[in-house]
Amino acid sequence: MFDLKSLNPQQRTAATHTEGPLLVLAGAGSGKTKVITCRIAHLIENKEVPPENILAVTFTNKAAREMQERMKELVGSRGKGMTISTFHSLGVKILRQDIRKLGYKKNFSIYSTSDQLGLIRQALRETNDTQKKFDPDSILWKISGAKNALLTPEQYRPTGFDESEQMAVAIYPRYQALLKSCNAIDFDDLIMLTVRLLRDFPEVLAKWQQQFRYIMVDEYQDTNPSQYLLISMLAAQNRNICVVGDDDQSIYGWRGADVEKILNFEHDYHGCKVVMLEQNYRSTGNILDAANHVISNNTKRKVKALWTESGPGRPIDLIVAADDEEEATTVVERIETTCFRDKVSYGDCAILYRTNAQSRPFEEQLRFAGIPYVLIGGMQFYERKEVKDSLAWLRTIANPEDEQSLLRIINFPKRGIGETTILKINQWSMEQGIPLFEALGRAAEIDGITEAVRAKVQAFHDLLSGEIANFAAPGHLADKVDRLFRKIGLEEELYRTIDDQATARRKVENIEQVINSLAGFESSSAKATLPLFLEKVTLMDEDRFSGKDKKEHGRDAVTLMSLHSSKGLEFPMVWLVGLEEEILPHKKSIYEDFSIDEERRLMYVGITRARRHLTITRCLQRKQYGKMQERHPSRFLEEIPEQLVNLQQVAGAQALNEDEAEKMAGDFFAKMKGMLG
């Protein structure tokens, strides 16, 4: 039932302030969803606002469904008719009524990503005179970015000399024309066309402004320019707009979110009321103190500090491990001990990391310990395409008769051996009754293949033959794999074919983890061979499909996820791992963006996911391309007061010269301060 008495004073102020603009700065765990739903209930029950005049917008279907369920509990059938939706669903609602004014039919289709890619490929075939290879996904990503910035085909211009961006500019008009010829729009059009409709047809805007007299936006810090403009237009007439969010949790700048929108809300809406929700109902005092101290180092923010009535709780554990393998082993051992000692379930535990590539050693250790886990926000490590591609090279070297793996790598990285050539070689090998690998070495005997292509096939066969001999000789496997991947240009291929550099970097990091995994396997086995390593990987993958592992996707399983995926969630026990420079903060923010504010906000999000206990880990060394590299502690660790932290060095770390490592870290920070001014 609806009851304003259940709210604290600040929550009650936010829920009952209904006229004029309202900014609710809701810290992590401060009950913002409760405030939004109670505010809607107050409008309906106490202010007698018709439900159809209320609009609540959030970012995900899941969040919208949860809000709808809460409203049913609070006001029952009296809430029928109000609009609680995502931005895209709101766009559909408006466009279904009036899109004919833009030259579309009312029964327009909304194209999925696969449908969009089909049109991108068609536009590329029509527009690309040189027939140069371009990645359709990358082209689509660039056009999507243009639409989110409300740039029409006529307005979109390349920002540099990137050929892929220039091609995106070239095919954007044709892509949009193809969409319209099919009476179809894509997801980005749902916002862009809605803004255009409201801007070009004042009578349409007036109609929707009259309907949506009271507007609420959740997670306002995540709005991009097109979403911001849509809401601004709808709210301009009545100005009864309430936005709820937290600038300290703005972590999606890479996909267009602009933290300035929430920071400038008071400037956009003069006379707006600001309410701070700082009482936290999730975490202990020590966890909140750590979060407050870290985020206070960001200067471009609304000053606030979380607090709780629940007491300080346990200190934060800081584990210093010798390397990433020991880090994973220690974390898994602590999880096992914690669950046994404190009588908590595996489902109460979460391992959070900055990049998905970090999941690999934790996945391996959890499987080794027989602990169920579920991976959120990404595929299991050995299922990722770039990982499968790199392993296909190793499988072919270990077994040249593995024709599935051979076919996967024959033109990866690209070497000018096309599908027609591969079909001819495959057909000839079947006719001759010989393995495909042998047929590659006899390409000169196959009709219908040009001399130039035969030379490329022979070069590929010679490369593989040499590597087969190389791997059969004594030597460290990880070093051999590192040299192989460098020789074939695996990293360069990813950066060349994937124009979104952040995506390419993540894939390169995953390739690096394959080498690290092999290095760890070598160090733990006296008889490490390439076939044994591949067997281990295969058995791990097969375990996923066994009946025993089905429980991994149930409630009682450790959660592994990136910090970006963890936003909005909470767990009794959190292990925040990899607190080192170039990981958190990520090296891109240090060396390319020269801004770590968003990285610090990620750290803040990670800390505040923990309810009862937080453990932070870092390594003195970490494998990079199979070799140990010194690691420097994250600057965010220095921002947590010592009295909140219980420092623990595990056995391997204690054996290293910690004083020397800390001296190196000091030199590193001095250098960074010079770079950043």
Side-chain angles (χ1 to χ4, degrees), residues 89-100 105-110 183 185 190 194 197 208:
S89 296
L90 175 61
V92 172
K93 183 183 182 75
I94 294 173
L95 290 173
R96 286 293 182 202
Q97 290 196 27
D98 296 295
I99 198 171
R100 284 172 294 188
K105 296 177 183 177
K106 192 175 180 180
N107 63 337
F108 61 86
S109 299
I110 303 171
N183 192 39
I185 64 177
L190 290 173
T194 302
L197 179 67
W208 290 104

Side-chain angles (χ1 to χ4, degrees), residues 157-168:
R157 296 288 182 272
T159 56
F161 297 101
D162 183 277
E163 287 187 339
S164 180
E165 185 174 32
Q166 291 173 349
M167 181 52 66

Side-chain angles (χ1 to χ4, degrees), residues 68-120:
Q68 288 165 350
E69 289 301 316
R70 288 210 194 186
M71 290 312 306
K72 285 181 183 178
E73 294 175 4
L74 290 175
V75 297
S77 61
R78 293 187 297 282
K80 188 176 181 181
M82 64 183 164
T83 300
I84 299 177
S85 73
T86 64
F87 277 98
H88 290 104
S89 296
L90 175 61
V92 172
K93 183 183 182 75
I94 294 173
L95 290 173
R96 286 293 182 202
Q97 290 196 27
D98 296 295
I99 198 171
R100 284 172 294 188
K101 295 179 182 295
L102 298 178
Y104 292 82
K105 296 177 183 177
K106 192 175 180 180
N107 63 337
F108 61 86
S109 299
I110 303 171
Y111 269 16
S112 66
T113 301
S114 60
D115 296 325
Q116 292 175 261
L117 289 171
L119 293 187
I120 292 289

Side-chain angles (χ1 to χ4, degrees), residues 189-234:
D189 286 331
L190 290 173
I191 308 298
M192 186 175 184
L193 291 181
T194 302
V195 169
R196 178 182 157 196
L197 179 67
L198 299 180
R199 181 194 63 208
D200 294 350
F201 299 92
E203 71 280 10
V204 176
L205 174 59
K207 177 181 70 174
W208 290 104
Q209 287 176 335
Q210 180 63 28
Q211 175 164 344
F212 297 136
R213 290 169 44 216
Y214 293 87
I215 298 174
M216 274 151 283
V217 185
D218 191 17
E219 303 288 6
Y220 190 70
Q221 77 280 349
D222 293 337
T223 50
N224 64 30
S226 60
Q227 294 161 342
Y228 165 81
L229 185 55
L230 172 58
I231 291 299
S232 298
M233 295 171 76
L234 291 173

Side-chain angles (χ1 to χ4, degrees), residues 554-575:
R555 296 178 62 87
D556 193 18
V558 176
T559 299
L560 278 74
M561 66 198 319
S562 70
L563 287 167
H564 282 100
S565 298
S566 73
K567 186 170 173 291
L569 302 177
E570 60 183 69
F571 303 89
M573 309 286 180
V574 168
W575 280 261

Side-chain angles (χ1 to χ4, degrees), residues 516-531:
N516 293 342
S517 179
L518 181 51
F521 177 71
E522 279 190 283
S523 65
S524 64
S525 174
K527 297 181 179 180
T529 66
L530 186 58

Side-chain angles (χ1 to χ4, degrees), residues 59 219-225 227 250-261 598 601:
F59 276 82
E219 303 288 6
Y220 190 70
Q221 77 280 349
D222 293 337
T223 50
N224 64 30
Q227 294 161 342
S250 180
I251 59 174
Y252 297 119
W254 51 275
R255 70 182 189 194
D258 186 359
V259 70
E260 296 288 344
K261 297 295 183 283
E598 187 157 315
R601 293 195 288 266

Side-chain angles (χ1 to χ4, degrees), residues 367-484:
R367 287 191 177 280
F368 180 76
I371 295 176
Y373 72 91
V374 59
L375 190 70
I376 304 295
M379 289 182 286
Q380 302 230 11
F381 181 77
Y382 290 108
E383 292 180 70
R384 295 164 188 164
K385 181 183 182 300
E386 65 277 10
V387 173
K388 287 186 172 182
D389 288 339
S390 63
L391 289 175
W393 273 93
L394 305 186
R395 294 187 196 281
T396 304
I397 290 169
N399 175 20
E401 293 186 4
D402 181 351
E403 295 192 356
Q404 185 175 353
S405 294
L406 180 56
L407 288 169
R408 189 175 186 118
I409 67 169
I410 196 169
N411 200 38
F412 177 80
K414 293 189 184 303
R415 54 182 54 83
I417 304 175
E419 291 183 7
T420 302
T421 300
I422 295 170
L423 286 171
K424 289 178 180 178
I425 298 172
N426 203 24
Q427 181 66 32
W428 191 81
S429 73
M430 289 188 290
E431 291 172 356
Q432 299 297 316
I434 62 174
L436 179 60
F437 180 70
E438 183 181 337
L440 293 174
R442 296 169 60 182
E445 303 175 36
I446 304 174
D447 294 332
I449 303 177
T450 66
E451 286 301 321
V453 175
R454 282 175 178 168
K456 293 174 182 176
V457 173
Q458 187 63 53
F460 174 64
H461 181 270
D462 293 345
L463 169 65
L464 270 179
S465 298
E467 291 300 327
I468 290 168
N470 177 40
F471 273 78
H476 288 294
L477 291 174
D479 290 342
K480 292 179 181 181
V481 173
D482 186 18
R483 284 194 295 268
L484 168 66

